[in-house]
Amino acid sequence: MAHGYYTNFTSIDNIKERTIDLSEYGIDVSETFDALLSPTGIVNQFALSIILQIFYVTGFILPGWLHAYLSENVTSGPLLPYIQYFAKHLNPQSIFNTLARSLLSLFWELISRSLTSFILFGVFTTTSEVSKTTLTGILSFLTNPVL
């Protein structure tokens, strides 16, 4: 009897029957799985992560430049306490540390996404699907309004 339980549990049809059906709310769970965990989806998600990291980095560099300019030109007045307060967050070393942390995080994300894909789909399927990914497909994903 235990053998029948395991056989039925691992059946593809039974697994599909056990997935969450959220279609009545306008949610396609398989589309989300394909977008996030399929080998092609992993490449697309990594491209999205790169773009988000660019936004994040830009969000530190531009205020850093502004802070450096204000630090050189504002020596007194009502802005000086604010400039001094942000000096610990927007100095060149802090910005460089943040950029390095961002790149390291992106590197570990690539490794974890790759390992997840290898575990879920196998090395050969993953590499085969990733090699089929095109720049047009990635751009289509990045410009999709249902990102």
Side-chain angles (χ1 to χ4, degrees):
M1 183 148 197
H3 184 272
Y5 173 77
Y6 289 113
T7 303
N8 289 336
F9 182 72
T10 57
S11 165
I12 297 296
D13 294 330
N14 287 337
I15 289 173
K16 287 183 180 179
E17 289 174 9
R18 286 178 171 72
T19 59
I20 299 171
D21 183 18
L22 300 174
S23 59
E24 66 182 283
Y25 303 110
I27 299 171
D28 184 2
V29 176
S30 63
E31 179 182 330
T32 302
F33 179 82
D34 291 340
L36 297 176
L37 293 173
S38 71
T40 302
I42 287 176
V43 172
N44 290 337
Q45 288 298 319
F46 189 66
L48 178 62
S49 294
I50 289 172
I51 289 187
L52 292 175
Q53 289 297 327
I54 289 170
F55 292 157
Y56 181 73
V57 165
T58 304
F60 272 92
I61 290 176
L62 294 179
W65 283 339
L66 178 64
H67 182 267
Y69 173 78
L70 292 174
S71 293
E72 292 288 324
N73 296 310
V74 176
T75 56
S76 64
L79 289 179
L80 188 60
Y82 298 109
I83 294 170
Q84 290 171 339
Y85 171 77
F86 284 109
K88 60 186 168 191
H89 301 293
L90 296 174
N91 65 58
Q93 184 64 50
S94 294
I95 291 174
F96 182 78
N97 288 349
T98 300
L99 298 178
R101 190 178 301 116
S102 175
L103 289 174
L104 187 60
S105 173
L106 198 60
F107 173 74
W108 286 116
E109 180 179 343
L110 174 61
I111 288 174
S112 66
R113 287 187 182 279
S114 298
L115 285 174
T116 300
S117 185
F118 291 156
I119 291 168
L120 289 175
F121 301 102
V123 175
F124 297 114
T125 302
T126 299
T127 54
S128 172
E129 291 297 315
V130 166
S131 68
K132 294 177 187 174
T133 306
T134 63
L135 185 58
T136 306
I138 294 171
L139 292 175
S140 174
F141 172 79
L142 292 174
T143 57
N144 186 345
V146 188
L147 193 60

